[in-house]
Amino acid sequence: MVRSTTFEHYSARIEKVVAFMAQRLDQPLTLAQLAEAGHFSPYHFHRVYRGLMGETIANTQRRLRLHRAAHELLHGHDGIAAIARRAGYASVAAFTRAFATAYEQPPAAFRKRRAAPPALARADFDPTLESLMYSAQISTLAPHRAVALPHRGDYNGIGAQFERLYGWAGALGLLAAQPPRAFGIYYDSPADTPAERLRSDACLAVPPQTAPGEGMRWIEIAGGRHAVVIHTGPYSELQRAYDWLFCQWLPASGEEAGDAPVYEEYLNDSRSLPPEQWQTSICLPLK
């Protein structure tokens, strides 16, 4: 009963977001505006949305605009170029390709048909994805103070920043005994944010008297209640754990994501172990 009620609560909020988008298809909406419409934390809204809807926010907007375009083709009098611009496409050719993919007919042929447009289906999504591979534990975590080196761009490139951090720490003798704990903080969803605009921080928890190196800064990673999922395997497969956490566990848990970014802790040394043994703790703040 709790699972059903919680899913209904999340679904109702997502429906408000979709309605908000549908009423403003010609406006450049921000992630913060959409999160506010559904009363979600802006830090986690994109992941919750993708988990429940099976598609990104941008895909929903594209789907809604194409559906509106189909109605305009059938019932309106504007030319295809005007409809394409209204749907957000810079050229008739791009609009034609997208429309034909969605409706299996180019716009001109569809207009001649004068039939009611079918509803566009969402992208295929399996809500049971990896359901047997993961479990989440709610834990009260201690806060961490760490030296952070910002990374901008594709998250796959953050490894270079960790190499810089480890080189800096090694030169200071901070790796000789117990290697410092390593964290990655990820502020954006790669499904909804262009790769060049993704923001993240590579972090090492070094002694408090350590002076940060060039381009580095001290950062506080908040403690408190977190949902923690352990992923074992290559970092390239972490998205599966995120999908499970935000699609299955969070809506069914009765919990709300907190107003802080999700972060990862890397539990063993990826430089000395094969990828199938790498362990990553995904820590989602909870209210």
Side-chain angles (χ1 to χ4, degrees):
M1 180 66 69
V2 172
R3 178 186 176 93
S4 176
T5 303
T6 305
F7 265 109
E8 289 174 3
H9 179 58
Y10 271 75
S11 296
R13 290 158 65 186
I14 289 293
E15 286 176 11
K16 290 182 180 179
V17 175
V18 174
F20 185 85
M21 280 193 285
Q23 294 164 6
R24 298 164 176 82
L25 288 179
D26 298 318
Q27 298 179 21
L29 300 175
T30 67
L31 189 67
Q33 287 175 306
L34 294 172
E36 183 180 3
H39 304 290
F40 289 101
S41 163
Y43 285 108
H44 312 289
F45 165 63
H46 43 260
R47 291 191 175 96
V48 172
Y49 186 93
R50 182 173 178 269
L52 289 179
M53 290 293 289
E55 64 183 6
T56 66
I57 296 164
N59 283 341
T60 299
Q61 290 175 317
R62 188 177 305 114
R63 207 162 46 81
L64 291 171
R65 286 170 180 150
L66 284 174
H67 191 65
R68 182 181 65 180
H71 278 281
E72 291 176 341
L73 286 167
L74 294 175
H75 305 293
H77 302 285
D78 288 340
I80 291 177
I83 293 174
R85 285 194 300 272
R86 184 163 156 78
Y89 292 87
S91 69
V92 171
F95 172 66
T96 298
R97 287 193 297 270
F99 191 91
T101 298
Y103 286 95
E104 300 182 342
Q105 276 187 313
F110 187 86
R111 169 166 268 176
K112 290 179 181 179
R113 211 177 60 170
R114 296 290 176 181
L120 289 183
R122 297 195 307 238
D124 291 339
F125 185 74
D126 181 4
T128 63
L129 178 67
E130 307 299 330
S131 60
L132 300 179
M133 290 185 62
Y134 298 106
S135 62
Q137 180 177 351
I138 297 179
S139 302
T140 300
L141 304 182
H144 303 285
R145 192 165 189 258
V147 167
L149 188 58
H151 173 68
R152 299 297 177 266
D154 193 324
Y155 287 156
N156 291 326
I158 198 172
Q161 301 298 71
F162 276 108
E163 291 298 328
R164 281 188 57 194
L165 277 175
Y166 278 109
W168 163 79
L172 296 176
L174 302 178
L175 306 180
Q178 183 74 19
R181 296 172 71 175
F183 304 91
I185 306 175
Y186 300 92
Y187 300 95
D188 304 297
S189 167
D192 298 279
T193 306
E196 66 274 10
R197 292 171 54 191
L198 292 171
R199 301 166 300 146
S200 54
D201 283 316
C203 307
L204 288 182
V206 297
Q209 68 274 15
T210 308
E214 183 180 356
M216 303 175 192
R217 72 188 193 284
W218 283 104
I219 194 170
E220 302 287 341
I221 302 175
R225 295 177 70 249
H226 287 70
V228 180
V229 174
I230 306 298
H231 170 81
T232 301
Y235 300 143
S236 60
E237 296 177 355
L238 277 166
Q239 186 59 49
R240 295 191 296 181
Y242 277 93
D243 287 343
W244 178 86
L245 177 61
F246 284 93
C247 172
Q248 290 194 43
W249 182 85
L250 185 60
S253 67
E255 298 285 344
E256 286 278 350
D259 291 321
V262 66
Y263 70 89
E264 299 171 1
E265 180 175 4
Y266 308 102
L267 303 178
N268 52 16
D269 187 358
S270 63
R271 296 169 295 174
S272 62
L273 294 171
E276 60 268 21
Q277 295 181 23
W278 295 351
Q279 286 197 317
T280 305
S281 176
I282 301 172
C283 304
L284 170 65
L286 300 174
K287 289 186 178 179

